[in-house]
Amino acid sequence: QVQLMESGGGSVQAGGSLKLSCAASGSIYDRACMAWFRQTPGKEREKVATIRTGGATTYADSVKGRFTISQDIGKTTLTLQMDSLKPEDTAVYYCATKNPYTECSAGTAAAFRYWGQGTQVTVFS
């Protein structure tokens, strides 16, 4: 079992920055691939960024160059540094994790077994 808890959400003006954190505990095996997803009303969950054991990362085209995902060596804290925020970044952001049977870059939302409660990020003009 894995427990995840997001924090750091808030309201910021376009062009600003925000840092999200996810406290993680439980099976290391089930945290081989960790990711940030986001969702807005009426839309499907979007995979924002992923990080696997060893540090390899992937990003959605919409956030590449603006967001940075990272984790501590013990994989107890997952972070998402968000810079140059845009109104379209407004969403509920979720921390998620899964086992290593599939690649982080290829995993869909359904492939991630454990999820946090989510944290709201609002970007205004």
Side-chain angles (χ1 to χ4, degrees), residues 3 6 104:
Q3 294 80 44
E6 305 94 338
C104 279

Side-chain angles (χ1 to χ4, degrees), residues 9-96:
S11 181
V12 299
Q13 189 170 21
S17 298
L18 201 63
K19 184 177 181 179
L20 304 182
S21 295
C22 173
S25 62
S27 173
I28 291 294
Y29 180 82
D30 289 328
R31 289 186 279 135
C33 173
M34 301 189 74
W36 285 99
F37 284 80
R38 65 185 182 186
Q39 186 170 25
T40 57
K43 298 181 179 179
E44 295 184 356
R45 282 172 291 178
E46 175 189 15
K47 184 161 59 180
V48 177
T50 67
I51 185 167
R52 58 174 288 185
T53 298
T57 60
T58 64
Y59 297 91
D61 290 340
S62 59
V63 306
K64 193 175 183 65
R66 299 187 298 118
F67 290 11
T68 302
I69 187 172
S70 63
Q71 65 184 14
D72 67 312
I73 296 177
K75 307 188 73 172
T76 58
T77 303
L78 179 72
T79 63
L80 183 68
Q81 177 64 48
M82 304 183 291
D83 298 316
S84 301
L85 285 163
K86 304 175 180 179
E88 50 262 46
D89 293 320
T90 295
V92 175
Y93 284 71
Y94 298 91
C95 174

